[in-house]
Amino acid sequence: MMGDCVTEYSERLKKQEREIQSLSAEIECLKNPQKLNPSSRLDDLQEENARLRYRLNILKRSLQEETPYDGTSMLNINQRLQEIFGTAIRASCPELDSPPLAVTPNQQAKFGDYQCNSAMAMAQMLKAKGMKVNPREIAEKIVQNLPDNELIQKTEIAGPGFINIHLKKAFVSKLLSNLLVNGVQPPPLACRKRVVVDFSSPNIAKEMHVGHLRSTIIGESMSRLFEFLGYDVVRLNHVGDWGTQFGMLIAHLQDKFPNYLTVSPPIGDLQAFYKESKKRFDEEEDFKKRAYQCVVRLQSKEANFIKAWYLICDVSRKEFQKVYDCLDVHITERGESYYQDMMVNVVKEFEEKGLVQMDEGRKIVFAPGQSIPLTVVKSDGGYTYDTSDLAAIRQRIFDEKADIIIYVTDSGQAMHFQVVFAAARMIGWYDPHVTRVEHAGFGVVLGEDKKKFKTRSGDTVRLMDLLEEGLRRSMDKLKEKERDKVLTPEELTKAQRSVAFGCIKYADLCHNRINDYIFSFDKMLDDRGNTAAYLLYAFTRIRSIARLANIDEATLRKAAQTTEVLLDHEKEWKLGKCILRFPEILQKILDDLLLHTLCDYLYELATTFTEFYDSCYCVEKDRQTGEVVKVNMWRMLLCDATATVMAKGFDILGINPVQRM
């Protein structure tokens, strides 16, 4: 059907283009301007031609992206409904070029499962064209034009033109069975795109602090989401490993460890080492001069200075890795030094295209629509963060061949990246309709006093100190629940790490990243409400239901293939639909990069499961002996499907649940 539409539009387009060429030629032939009297149809045809071209592009894109449901992957029900209603809407109002398409889950179960709210907006668009049509009439037309499909049981028109959609229980049951047999499989991709995620990015010779926590957690979770959906993901750590500060660090290294070239220097505390060198740089004039000389020799790539630089970087690298090991983060380091040799060509390219201006000895670039310029060369001839970020984005577009590039940094850098992206578009490095380049900014971490999170002495909180405090507090919580009396020492340690690091990650991810958030160990370790502690305990309880009923994995697998998942009870139906909304949630995050949506969904899934479990017996026991007398296997399968989706959600968030807690 879609293919027929494309053919029809293509033929109409060709015919109109021939007419336009003929009429344009007619104009060209008329030499005398006074006799110029082109056909009045020219403007109308050109306008209609533009509309046809727009629709043709949409249809071609839909045809390219539309992949048939293969039965093994999870179906995005919302997307499928949009396809069905999109066809009906276009057939109902062919006079509208791009009619609105709005299909959302219904907030009240009594009105159905989903709702299409397009009719009212379509009525407004028709009114603007001078056609007054009642929205209910439009809704009736849409319903009449719905194509035959596999998932809609019935539709009802309510109020001014809302279309309430009821799903077929048999189809929902079939989707749940597919999930149980095949696992959580993402919808197939039309083509595998390459994604670069730039996150974490601490500075060499400085401790990772709480500010790096958000970038690291959010960037890793975004990377996991893209990977699960089938994209080729490159995680990049744009560390601050180059610049004038290395001059003073190398000069101090030469004084403190003169034999550093042959004996590896025992720098235990790099932060203290940095502070010592900075103090000398500020107070000792001779040291300052030598530090500047060291920078020049490092930039000239003299072997001994490169080795000193590498030693300092390596000490930092080992400290960073301790944090990444705790948070289960895997990332490729590609610091500012990586782009040094590329910067010359970047500046040259801007100059050759006449995009560089001189300003008091500096070379600057103004991008369209931006009031602040980029400084690509300082007055002393050195490069800047602007230059290295331009070199980085160029390398990612042309060498990495990235289709999507995401920068995860604090919102304070939003303006900087806005200008960098505008400059990259101006010079023609990428077209935003083809390559997605986005800054995923985030707010700051606040203390419980709602001020910037710091230690009592006013220092920035070291990230390792924070993680170690999390471990201590999670163990206290587990002992408070007397889990140390039922778990083996090994199980207890696993539970401690799962709770500590899971709660720290979830506390960050469950907030809208754009907002600031208050860091509180007490709140994040609370096992009530929307916290990782609550979800981890809920997950462990769901997993234990089958075990306590003596139902092993093999029995569940066999039942998934032979037992129909019944959805007769309202709580079974509610849970089944909630489980199947998972692909919709992931698609939304893919569009807006707001991971709190997944946290909200997991919490909704856990609470919906509790409603189901409290109302529907999965296992019936003899009240006196406690023996299992009946297993309602379809309900056990609903338990298993819930746990399966929760486990995948946890995996995307970087949370590692344990079997026993």
Side-chain angles (χ1 to χ4, degrees), residues 372-546:
I372 300 168
L374 295 172
T375 300
V376 292
V377 181
K378 294 187 290 186
S379 54
D380 65 2
Y383 297 123
T384 67
Y385 288 126
D386 296 348
T387 333
S388 66
D389 279 335
L390 284 169
I393 194 170
R394 191 187 191 288
Q395 191 274 339
R396 292 163 186 181
I397 292 164
F398 293 106
D399 298 349
E400 292 294 343
K401 296 188 168 32
D403 301 291
I404 301 169
I405 308 171
I406 296 163
Y407 293 78
V408 186
T409 76
D410 66 272
S411 295
Q413 297 186 54
M415 179 60 75
H416 165 72
F417 283 111
Q418 188 178 309
V419 181
V420 169
F421 300 163
R425 291 193 298 272
M426 173 179 73
I427 201 167
W429 289 347
Y430 79 95
D431 175 352
H433 296 107
V434 177
T435 307
R436 178 182 179 184
V437 180
E438 198 165 331
H439 175 237
F442 54 80
V444 298
V445 182
L446 304 175
E448 294 191 67
D449 58 359
K450 297 187 180 176
K451 293 179 181 175
K452 213 164 182 183
F453 194 37
K454 293 189 181 289
T455 62
R456 285 181 183 174
S457 61
D459 293 331
T460 305
V461 179
R462 288 177 68 246
L463 200 39
M464 271 315 295
D465 290 346
L466 191 80
L467 298 175
E468 284 163 7
E469 173 74 1
L471 285 169
R472 185 184 67 76
R473 288 191 182 229
S474 68
M475 182 58 82
D476 290 346
K477 190 79 177 176
L478 289 163
K479 286 181 176 176
E480 182 188 307
K481 288 179 163 288
E482 299 188 336
R483 303 313 295 161
D484 54 322
K485 294 178 181 176
V486 293
L487 300 176
T488 66
E490 187 184 355
E491 286 174 332
L492 187 64
T493 301
K494 279 186 178 177
Q496 176 197 23
R497 292 179 70 83
S498 174
V499 171
F501 303 141
C503 286
I504 288 170
K505 289 178 180 181
Y506 193 86
D508 190 313
L509 295 168
C510 73
H511 293 89
N512 186 323
R513 63 172 163 78
I514 296 163
N515 301 331
D516 300 343
Y517 92 94
I518 295 169
F519 190 96
S520 166
F521 272 122
D522 290 338
K523 284 182 182 173
M524 66 178 68
L525 289 166
D526 194 340
D527 53 13
R528 295 161 298 176
N530 188 5
T531 66
Y534 168 76
L535 290 174
L536 287 166
Y537 287 124
F539 177 78
T540 305
R541 188 173 66 122
I542 296 167
R543 278 284 189 229
S544 71
I545 294 167

Side-chain angles (χ1 to χ4, degrees), residues 153-441:
Q153 178 70 40
K154 65 173 181 175
T155 55
E156 296 165 338
I157 298 168
F162 300 112
I163 304 172
N164 291 323
I165 305 159
H166 297 260
L167 301 176
K168 289 179 181 174
K169 284 190 176 173
F171 187 71
V172 171
S173 174
K174 183 183 171 188
L175 291 179
L176 289 165
S177 294
N178 289 342
L179 164 64
L180 289 158
V181 170
N182 301 302
V184 184
Q185 300 293 331
L189 283 175
C191 61
R192 192 168 188 240
K193 292 183 176 179
R194 186 153 231 225
V195 184
V196 168
V197 186
D198 176 327
F199 67 97
S200 194
S201 310
N203 288 313
I204 293 292
K206 291 186 181 178
E207 296 274 11
M208 283 183 80
H209 56 76
V210 72
H212 296 113
L213 180 69
R214 297 210 75 184
S215 178
T216 306
I217 289 172
I218 294 167
E220 173 65 18
S221 188
M222 283 182 187
S223 300
R224 286 168 177 257
L225 171 66
F226 278 107
E227 278 176 337
F228 170 64
L229 293 172
Y231 292 82
D232 176 20
V233 178
V234 181
R235 296 166 168 83
L236 292 183
N237 199 359
H238 192 83
V239 297
D241 65 350
W242 202 253
T244 52
Q245 76 271 27
F246 282 94
M248 68 184 191
L249 289 166
I250 292 170
H252 191 50
L253 180 73
Q254 290 171 334
D255 292 346
K256 199 163 183 179
F257 305 105
N259 60 345
Y260 73 90
L261 290 170
T262 52
V263 179
S264 185
I267 305 172
D269 187 344
L270 195 56
Q271 186 86 345
F273 186 84
Y274 180 90
K275 285 179 179 176
E276 287 168 14
S277 65
K278 182 75 171 74
K279 188 171 185 293
R280 291 185 68 191
F281 185 83
D282 292 338
E283 296 173 2
E284 300 174 25
E285 197 57 38
D286 287 347
F287 180 81
K288 192 177 202 174
K289 285 178 185 173
R290 197 151 53 84
Y292 279 130
Q293 289 167 359
C294 287
V295 172
V296 173
R297 296 177 79 174
L298 173 64
Q299 290 175 342
S300 301
K301 302 203 174 161
E302 288 187 31
N304 289 352
F305 289 82
I306 288 289
K307 180 164 186 185
W309 167 76
Y310 186 81
L311 285 168
I312 293 164
C313 290
D314 209 40
V315 174
S316 268
R317 211 169 272 128
K318 285 171 183 169
E319 290 301 309
F320 297 161
Q321 196 56 47
K322 290 177 187 176
V323 171
Y324 297 142
D325 288 345
C326 285
L327 297 175
D328 193 20
V329 169
H330 307 278
I331 189 167
T332 301
E333 184 185 307
R334 195 175 288 172
E336 291 168 18
S337 61
Y338 181 85
Y339 304 101
Q340 288 305 301
D341 294 342
M342 303 175 195
M343 294 191 209
V344 179
N345 290 331
V346 164
V347 174
K348 188 179 174 187
E349 190 174 341
F350 273 91
E351 285 177 327
E352 285 173 350
K353 294 193 175 177
L355 300 171
V356 174
Q357 299 176 28
M358 294 303 297
D359 178 62
E360 296 180 352
R362 298 180 305 150
K363 290 183 178 180
I364 62 171
V365 171
F366 273 102
Q370 306 301 319
S371 56
I372 300 168
L374 295 172
T375 300
V376 292
V377 181
K378 294 187 290 186
S379 54
D380 65 2
Y383 297 123
T384 67
Y385 288 126
D386 296 348
T387 333
S388 66
D389 279 335
L390 284 169
I393 194 170
R394 191 187 191 288
Q395 191 274 339
R396 292 163 186 181
I397 292 164
F398 293 106
D399 298 349
E400 292 294 343
K401 296 188 168 32
D403 301 291
I404 301 169
I405 308 171
I406 296 163
Y407 293 78
V408 186
T409 76
D410 66 272
S411 295
Q413 297 186 54
M415 179 60 75
H416 165 72
F417 283 111
Q418 188 178 309
V419 181
V420 169
F421 300 163
R425 291 193 298 272
M426 173 179 73
I427 201 167
W429 289 347
Y430 79 95
D431 175 352
H433 296 107
V434 177
T435 307
R436 178 182 179 184
V437 180
E438 198 165 331
H439 175 237

